[in-house]
């Protein structure tokens, strides 16, 4: 079946964060939003059909998860990531960030050190600070056209008493898909210093060839009991509003402890439509996802080529995610002036690079999960504004 990714979907007046908050965030309805990480594409037809059929039933009472749903997840992880997990290891959650919040509450104490790799997804900072834990940063090193891990600093931070390490793989916003060598080294060091790994792998399915996502819990069997992996179909199939995710927690004691925390917070029941969408997406969304990745590659190719003759903007090629890290530092603008330039002159709404940490100053993040015409429009708006400088 052929899937079209060039259809314009009017999202205004649907309470869409991306579109209906444009004026309040950027001060102008004419700003083209290319920021928050959801897509302007329709979900797979199988998902829409499953949700429609469920809605026709008309009764939306409490819904439980069963073996069939577990098997659907197991089949997906085997198909997509060559990762075999046990049914018992699956723990459900309304979202990856919710799971990370609960895990920090469960497995660390006030004042404990928690390590993140910056620049990184803004909620990672909140997860640590909102629980009165001590934030430790392993700053990623910009080496030419890519970001690398400073392993000397990584080990130095771990040996100073870090209790938990929050990994982002694929990494948001820089787009790295960590290699087996990099993952192995992180696992070995966390094993050496007895550090719990909390791995956000929500973008795991969105990887550009020839890169391959490797679940960190599948690197070393001896370490899997000290790793909690957070995953979801929501980024993959544009289901963020349905709030459904799961964690793979191999260790029984850790799984029971984490589940207890979820119950304490009243967050132990998934919503009916989220369950329905997860099942339909994983069972019948494979060809749609292949088509999506082809479209994202087309969009990325256009963006890269368009900016290739404009040295004021450097495009970091993402190995995964549909988020592109753009370097505007050659403009020599302050971060505030860069934001004003993009929203007032270019009329494009991007994510502020500084929101990912101080290491993001001079950078912005662009979401290219939209029809090619939208990518062209956003890119050309920026180019025309640059030409007026």
């Amino acid at each position: 079946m052929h899937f079209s990714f060039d259809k314009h979907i009017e999202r205004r007046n649907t309470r869409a964060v991306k579109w209906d908050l444009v004026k309040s965030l950027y001060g102008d309805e004419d700003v083209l939003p290319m920021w928050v990480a959801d897509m302007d594409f329709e979900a797979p037809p199988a998902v829409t059909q499953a949700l429609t059929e469920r809605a026709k039933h008309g009764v939306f009472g409490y819904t439980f998860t069963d073996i069939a749903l577990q098997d659907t997840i197991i089949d997906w992880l085997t198909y997509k990531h060559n990762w075999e997990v046990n049914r018992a290891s699956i723990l459900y959650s309304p979202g990856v960030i919710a799971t990370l919040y609960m895990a920090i509450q469960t497995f660390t104490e006030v004042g404990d050190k928690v390590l993140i790799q910056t620049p990184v997804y803004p909620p990672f900072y909140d997860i640590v600070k909102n629980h009165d834990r001590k934030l430790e940063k392993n700053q990623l090193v910009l080496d030419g056209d890519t970001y690398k891990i400073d392993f000397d600093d990584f080990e130095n931070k771990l040996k100073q008493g870090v209790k938990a390490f929050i990994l982002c793989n694929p990494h948001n916003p820089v787009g790295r898909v960590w290699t087996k060598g990099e993952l192995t080294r992180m696992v070995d060091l966390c094993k050496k210093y007895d550090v719990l790994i909390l791995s956000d792998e929500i973008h795991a399915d969105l990887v550009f060839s020839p890169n391959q996502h490797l679940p960190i819990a599948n690197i070393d069997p001896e370490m899997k009991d000290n790793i909690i992996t957070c995953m979801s179909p929501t980024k993959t199939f544009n289901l963020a509003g349905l709030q459904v995710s799961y964690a793979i927690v191999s260790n029984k004691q850790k799984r029971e402890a984490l589940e207890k925390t979820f119950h304490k917070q009243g967050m132990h029941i998934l919503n009916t439509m989220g369950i329905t969408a997860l099942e339909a997406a994983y069972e019948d969304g494979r060809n749609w996802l292949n088509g999506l990745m082809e479209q994202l590659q087309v969009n990325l190719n256009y963006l890269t080529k368009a900016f290739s003759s404009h040295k004021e903007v450097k495009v970091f090629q993402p190995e995964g995610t549909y988020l592109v890290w753009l370097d505007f530092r050659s403009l020599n603008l302050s971060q505030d002036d860069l934001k004003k330039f993009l929203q007032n002159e270019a009329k494009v709404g991007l994510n502020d690079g500084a929101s990912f940490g101080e290491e993001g100053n001079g950078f912005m993040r662009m979401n290219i999960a939209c029809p090619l015409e939208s990518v062209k429009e956003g890119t050309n708006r920026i180019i025309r504004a640059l030409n007026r400088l």
Side-chain angles (χ1 to χ4, degrees):
M1 179 184 293
H2 173 72
F3 301 99
S4 174
F5 294 94
D6 58 6
K7 179 181 178 182
H8 172 72
I9 309 295
E10 179 55 71
R11 298 185 61 191
R12 292 182 181 87
N13 300 316
T14 63
R15 297 192 176 95
V17 169
K18 183 176 181 181
W19 287 88
D20 287 328
L21 296 183
V22 166
K23 187 172 183 179
S24 62
L25 290 173
Y26 298 104
D28 190 337
E29 291 281 6
D30 292 332
V31 170
L32 178 65
M34 302 185 76
W35 63 293
V36 70
D38 68 11
M39 298 190 250
D40 288 334
F41 301 129
E42 290 178 319
V47 172
T48 303
Q49 181 178 351
L51 292 172
T52 301
E53 290 301 315
R54 185 64 186 84
K56 287 179 179 178
H57 184 267
V59 179
F60 309 103
Y62 294 114
T63 306
F64 68 92
T65 56
D66 56 12
I67 290 175
L69 190 65
Q70 291 173 326
D71 286 345
T72 296
I73 293 171
I74 289 169
D75 288 346
W76 179 262
L77 295 179
T78 301
Y79 155 73
K80 193 66 182 171
H81 305 294
N82 195 30
W83 185 23
E84 296 182 7
V85 303
N86 296 322
R87 286 175 180 163
S89 67
I90 300 172
L91 181 64
Y92 297 102
S93 161
V96 164
I97 295 303
T99 302
L100 293 174
Y101 263 85
M102 298 300 104
I104 289 297
Q105 288 184 29
T106 305
F107 303 113
T108 67
E109 303 291 338
V110 171
D112 280 350
K113 295 179 179 180
V114 179
L115 182 69
I116 63 176
Q117 293 174 312
T118 59
V120 75
Y121 185 46
F124 279 26
Y125 295 89
D126 299 333
I127 290 166
V128 180
K129 294 178 179 179
N130 289 349
H131 291 95
D132 297 316
R133 274 54 169 174
K134 184 177 179 182
L135 181 70
E136 295 288 344
K137 299 196 299 182
N138 173 227
Q139 182 176 335
L140 299 176
V141 178
L142 184 52
D143 184 6
D145 294 330
T146 191
Y147 281 83
K148 296 182 179 179
I149 298 170
D150 182 343
F151 278 105
D152 289 338
D153 178 72
F154 186 84
E155 181 171 12
N156 187 52
K157 295 291 170 55
L158 294 188
K159 70 170 59 172
Q160 293 178 29
V162 165
K163 294 297 183 182
F165 162 48
I166 307 178
L167 172 69
C168 193
N169 185 34
H171 192 280
N172 174 13
V174 306
R176 279 298 315 278
V177 174
W178 304 117
T179 65
K180 184 175 182 179
E182 290 167 323
L183 292 169
T184 299
R185 195 167 178 186
M186 285 189 280
V187 166
D188 289 346
L189 288 170
C190 288
K191 182 194 296 187
K192 180 178 180 180
Y193 296 102
D194 192 26
V195 175
L196 174 68
I197 299 175
L198 306 175
S199 187
D200 175 355
E201 302 188 15
I202 197 170
H203 291 100
D205 303 326
L206 300 166
V207 173
F208 294 102
S209 179
N211 304 287
Q212 182 180 0
H213 176 80
L214 302 172
I216 195 169
N218 206 23
I219 294 294
D220 182 352
E222 293 182 3
M223 187 62 177
K224 69 177 183 179
D225 281 350
N226 212 31
I227 298 175
I228 294 173
T229 305
C230 304
M231 307 184 91
S232 172
T234 55
K235 295 298 182 197
T236 309
F237 298 103
N238 204 25
L239 309 174
L242 295 177
Q243 298 185 323
V244 58
S245 77
Y246 54 92
I248 305 300
V249 192
S250 297
N251 181 272
K252 184 175 184 291
Q253 289 71 34
K254 284 186 173 64
R255 186 170 61 252
E256 291 177 347
L258 184 56
E259 190 169 22
K260 184 176 180 181
T261 302
F262 269 104
H263 277 263
K264 283 181 179 179
Q265 301 295 336
M267 297 175 64
H268 57 285
I269 299 176
L270 291 183
N271 74 80
T272 301
M273 291 309 200
I275 293 172
T276 301
L278 183 154
E279 190 170 45
Y282 278 174
E283 289 182 353
D284 297 303
R286 297 181 184 185
N287 290 335
W288 182 91
L289 178 55
N290 291 336
L292 170 67
M293 293 310 301
E294 290 175 2
Q295 184 62 57
L296 292 178
Q297 186 66 66
V298 169
N299 291 357
L300 179 60
N301 291 346
Y302 178 87
L303 179 78
T304 303
K305 184 176 181 180
F307 280 130
S308 64
S309 58
H310 293 269
K311 303 305 180 184
E312 305 95 332
V313 184
K314 181 177 180 179
V315 178
F316 284 86
Q317 295 296 305
E319 298 167 348
T321 82
Y322 48 73
L323 307 166
V324 183
W325 195 230
L326 300 176
D327 183 354
F328 290 90
R329 289 177 298 171
S330 68
L331 292 176
N332 293 316
L333 297 174
S334 69
Q335 194 66 14
D336 283 343
D337 286 341
L338 175 59
K339 289 189 293 183
K340 290 176 182 177
F341 167 73
L342 289 167
Q343 70 184 49
N344 298 332
E345 301 300 325
K347 300 292 185 182
V348 177
L350 307 181
N351 283 99
D352 179 7
S355 69
F356 300 89
E358 60 184 359
E359 302 85 355
N361 283 316
F363 295 82
M364 301 295 281
R365 191 190 74 173
M366 175 185 279
N367 177 352
I368 61 167
C370 51
L372 178 59
E373 288 305 311
S374 295
V375 174
K376 289 180 177 179
E377 177 62 23
T379 302
N380 291 328
R381 285 188 184 193
I382 295 173
I383 289 173
R384 287 194 295 269
L386 290 171
N387 290 338
R388 292 194 295 266
L389 284 177

